[in-house]
Amino acid sequence: MQRAAIVLSSFTVSKPYLSLNEITSQLGASKATAHRYTKALRAANLLRYDERTALYSLGPQVLTLAGAARAGLPIVDAAEPYMDQLVKTVDETVVLSVWDGETATVVRSADNTDHIIRIGVRSGARLDLTNSAQGRVFCTFLPRDQVPGLAKHLRRSPGLEQELEAIRKHGLSLNSPDINGVRTIAAPIFEGSSIVAAMAIVGTTVSVSTDIDSPQAQALLETTRALSQRLGNPE
């Protein structure tokens, strides 16, 4: 079981394909042993093998397990009533994301709005680290050594540092890039003094304002602060 876990955890966003030699190296075992484990994981649909490239990748069953794991996160149960109330208040899609070690990953989306144009966000979606409002929230409030590649992003984009400072000051990420007419504003959720999730309002550039004093922004801020207080954040 431990070796199977080692094989699966060897795959990352930056390294989604591995050869048998690379898996063997990760296991620290013989190639025959590595082959035996990859065969068993393929039978369980946890691994895929491309005969053309001779490379392995994670299989579809991993998505099912990941979904079950996300659904079982305590923050999802804690946030659900707050998200549902926020949807009723702002009449926009509300999304909850957690940090997966590399970026923000959506764990719940509430989109039961009355708009003709409804913005849906898929649970399990991994968001861009610096070009998403929720990604920027994690960049702001996580220790920087826990955000892979952040130093490089800051060197390449001088304006990003000022944006993160503004997010820290106001507690809101309002200036995320507008992509395909979609606009997102996000705020952190703290458990104690540590960020545990980000909550966001997602809508169109027409329906969602970037004004920090807008009713939507203030409703989001009040919601995340109330949830954070429930989770032990004193502020």
Side-chain angles (χ1 to χ4, degrees):
M1 184 67 71
Q2 183 179 6
R3 284 180 168 178
I6 291 172
V7 172
L8 295 175
S9 63
S10 299
F11 295 88
T12 65
V13 174
S14 59
K15 194 71 173 177
Y17 301 98
L18 296 174
S19 67
L20 183 61
N21 285 339
E22 289 173 314
I23 293 173
T24 301
S25 176
Q26 290 288 334
L27 275 176
S30 67
K31 184 174 288 189
T33 298
H35 184 266
R36 185 168 69 253
Y37 276 94
T38 59
K39 184 178 180 180
L41 291 170
R42 286 174 64 191
N45 287 323
L46 292 168
L47 279 187
R48 289 182 293 192
Y49 179 70
D50 187 334
E51 294 185 359
R52 181 178 57 86
T53 61
L55 294 176
Y56 293 86
S57 61
L58 293 175
Q61 186 62 21
V62 171
L63 297 176
T64 302
L65 295 174
R70 287 191 295 270
L73 290 172
I75 185 60
V76 176
D77 285 338
E80 185 172 8
Y82 292 85
M83 294 177 68
D84 291 342
Q85 181 57 52
L86 185 58
V87 170
K88 294 177 182 177
T89 300
V90 302
D91 197 26
E92 299 287 352
T93 297
V94 176
V95 174
L96 183 74
S97 295
V98 298
W99 182 250
D100 70 2
E102 294 183 332
T103 193
T105 297
V106 176
V107 291
R108 187 175 188 270
S109 177
D111 61 357
N112 53 330
T113 66
D114 295 327
H115 288 304
I116 295 175
I117 299 175
R118 297 173 64 181
I119 307 297
V121 181
R122 177 179 57 83
S123 181
R126 304 182 80 248
L127 307 176
D128 188 278
L129 179 64
T130 58
N131 286 328
S132 71
Q134 293 173 86
R136 290 185 179 197
V137 164
F138 283 106
C139 287
T140 300
F141 293 102
L142 279 173
R144 292 199 167 178
D145 61 358
Q146 292 183 21
V147 184
L150 180 56
K152 181 171 65 177
H153 284 293
L154 290 170
R155 288 195 299 270
R156 290 179 176 176
S157 305
L160 180 59
E161 184 71 71
Q162 286 74 26
E163 173 65 16
L164 299 186
E165 289 176 3
I167 293 170
R168 185 177 297 279
K169 177 181 178 181
H170 300 297
L172 288 167
S173 179
L174 289 164
N175 193 29
S176 63
D178 305 327
I179 302 172
N180 298 325
V182 176
R183 177 173 290 152
T184 305
I185 57 176
I189 299 168
F190 296 95
E191 184 172 12
S193 59
S194 301
I195 184 171
V196 68
M199 189 180 295
I201 295 172
V202 183
T204 68
T205 51
V206 174
S207 64
V208 175
S209 171
T210 57
D211 182 359
I212 194 170
D213 294 318
S214 73
Q216 295 164 326
Q218 292 306 305
L220 174 62
L221 197 56
E222 290 171 7
T223 299
T224 53
R225 284 176 174 170
L227 178 52
S228 294
Q229 288 174 359
R230 177 188 166 185
L231 296 174
N233 182 259
E235 297 183 7

